[in-house]
Amino acid sequence: MTEEYYMNLALSLAQSAAHQTSPNPPVGAVVVKNGRILGMGAHLKAGEAHAEVNALAQAGNEAKGADIYVTLEPCAHHGKTPPCADLIIEKGLRRVFIAAVDPNPLVGGKGIEKLRNAGIEVKTGISEKAAADLLAPFFHFIQKKRPYVTIKTAVTADGKTAAHTGHSQWITSEPARKDVHLLRSEHDAILTGIGTVLLDNPLLTSRLPQGGKNPIRVLLDTHLRVPADFHIIQNKDAKTIIFCASDAQTDKQRALEEHGVTVIRLPYMSIDAVLDELGKQNIMTLFVEAGAEVNASFLDIGAFNRLIMYMAPKLIGGKSAPSSFGGLGGSLMDEALGLEFKSVEMIGPDLKIVAEKRSE
């Protein structure tokens, strides 16, 4: 078997737990000796054993003289768990194959240096592109101290998100809507604006047949207009955070807090301020399901990483029917923000298009 084969196996292990380790990265590890797999492991939850620990525990005493394939550089610092680099040295492994170097300043090459100083051969860059794609949210979070942002929208084939009356249920099919619930469960938080809440009174939970994680609900509500009897306040399946302006009414804040809602006042309501605050709260991935004006506020400052668009085979027309992004927009096509299409697939009768913002 090739180095890529074992690393791709480690990557598949990491992918299996990719949405449940936040704010830690998803990591997989495979221990191999004389062409035989001795142990496999994944990091399953922040604060619990890392992938290397699980794989080496499975390998047991046979790990001495073996190789380990790990998708991210082993840690060299004491956090909630001991350093994995120390464990690899202790177990007497011969070689360490690494897909991606950790950008975390606490690691940042220190794990590789420690392993090499102990006489262990280290090779990096195996399946590095696949690892970088998987770890993109973690890398962004570590480097920017803000969540990795995905904007989701559903449109007709002529780019409309609703009829000119505002009616929008339903643009896409049931399979597409189920896929959205899966995406919600894969994110730490879901953000929307007060306009969407007042119009639809949504739950913003992940209602999947086998269950799933409910993201933290984040509401942008400058003047605290949300009614206390709405789902986002009354439903306790997920935590709710509301961002408001510093001059929002204090009695309404107290009423909302009595329902367990966290209210955060900002001196100046802006997407930048919201993302900075969410980063402080260790929210690594943010799913935006909002209206055209909130989407435009992300677009105006380029504060998103990925766009997921569901396109239904329908035409509704109407020059006043809304589209995904409002605001004034650019004056010239040269001002358009560039995207890179990553995938296109059919979800029931609808198209699902995934695009990433081009690197700056």
Side-chain angles (χ1 to χ4, degrees):
M1 298 295 184
T2 65
E3 295 171 359
E4 287 75 17
Y5 172 84
Y6 294 118
M7 189 60 77
N8 289 338
L9 179 57
L11 283 165
S12 69
L13 291 167
Q15 181 67 60
S16 69
H19 309 293
Q20 60 185 50
T21 63
S22 182
N24 286 0
V27 180
V30 177
V31 179
V32 180
K33 189 176 184 179
N34 297 326
R36 187 165 65 95
I37 296 173
L38 303 178
M40 300 187 294
H43 179 47
L44 299 179
K45 183 181 177 182
E48 295 186 358
H50 288 187
E52 300 95 318
V53 175
N54 290 327
L56 288 167
Q58 208 172 74
N61 293 333
E62 289 188 87
K64 185 176 177 63
D67 299 333
I68 187 168
Y69 292 79
V70 60
T71 56
L72 185 65
E73 177 184 0
C75 58
H77 66 288
H78 285 270
K80 292 183 179 179
T81 58
C84 291
D86 289 357
L87 180 63
I88 290 170
I89 295 167
E90 177 191 325
K91 293 293 184 180
L93 273 80
R94 183 170 67 101
R95 294 185 298 181
V96 177
F97 296 89
I98 298 168
V101 177
D102 196 333
N104 188 337
L106 294 173
V107 185
K110 297 183 181 71
I112 293 171
E113 182 182 12
K114 180 177 279 192
L115 293 169
R116 284 175 172 159
N117 287 342
I120 296 173
E121 182 183 341
V122 178
K123 184 175 180 180
T124 62
I126 300 96
S127 302
E128 185 174 18
K129 176 63 168 62
D133 289 344
L134 176 64
L135 292 163
F138 172 71
F139 286 176
H140 176 86
F141 179 69
I142 286 295
Q143 293 166 339
K144 305 291 187 181
K145 297 180 172 56
R146 287 178 163 193
Y148 182 95
V149 176
T150 296
I151 294 177
K152 167 260 167 182
T153 186
V155 299
T156 58
D158 53 344
K160 307 299 185 180
T161 59
H164 70 90
T165 59
H167 187 262
S168 62
Q169 294 184 338
W170 294 103
I171 292 175
T172 53
S173 63
E174 185 177 350
R177 298 197 299 274
K178 285 183 178 178
D179 195 61
V180 171
H181 283 271
L182 178 61
L183 284 171
R184 288 179 180 178
S185 74
E186 294 175 351
H187 286 78
D188 296 336
I190 180 171
L191 180 146
T192 196
I194 185 60
T196 296
V197 168
L198 292 177
L199 183 66
D200 297 334
N201 189 17
L203 278 167
L204 297 181
T205 53
S206 303
R207 299 181 293 283
L208 297 169
Q210 277 75 43
K213 180 187 73 176
N214 286 314
I216 296 169
R217 295 174 293 214
V218 179
L219 174 61
L220 306 184
D221 186 5
T222 303
H223 304 295
L224 291 182
R225 293 190 291 149
V226 61
D229 61 349
F230 267 36
H231 293 320
I232 199 170
I233 307 302
Q234 294 292 330
N235 178 270
K236 307 304 179 187
D237 291 338
K239 177 182 177 180
T240 297
I241 298 173
I242 299 178
F243 286 94
C244 67
S246 57
D247 59 351
Q249 49 187 316
T250 54
D251 56 339
K252 182 64 175 290
Q253 177 177 343
R254 284 193 294 268
L256 293 171
E257 289 173 340
E258 287 176 2
H259 289 286
V261 173
T262 298
V263 178
I264 299 175
R265 291 175 177 267
L266 295 174
Y268 178 70
M269 282 288 287
S270 70
I271 295 302
D272 279 327
V274 168
L275 292 177
D276 286 341
E277 184 61 37
L278 293 178
K280 292 174 186 175
Q281 300 198 28
N282 277 338
I283 291 175
M284 187 169 77
T285 53
L286 179 66
F287 193 57
V288 177
E289 273 196 81
E293 297 310 313
V294 170
N295 287 348
S297 65
F298 279 88
L299 175 61
D300 288 345
I301 60 173
F304 73 98
N305 305 89
R306 184 173 60 166
L307 173 70
I308 297 180
M309 176 180 288
Y310 296 86
M311 180 177 288
K314 299 174 182 178
L315 295 169
I316 194 164
K319 65 181 181 180
S320 60
S323 60
S324 299
F325 294 86
L328 184 61
S331 302
L332 302 171
M333 192 53 65
D334 291 346
E335 298 171 6
L337 188 145
L339 300 173
E340 180 183 352
F341 289 122
K342 305 300 288 188
S343 66
V344 179
E345 64 177 305
M346 296 295 296
I347 303 286
D350 305 313
L351 276 179
K352 178 184 179 183
I353 303 169
V354 179
E356 292 179 358
K357 189 177 72 171
R358 284 185 191 162
S359 301
E360 298 171 357

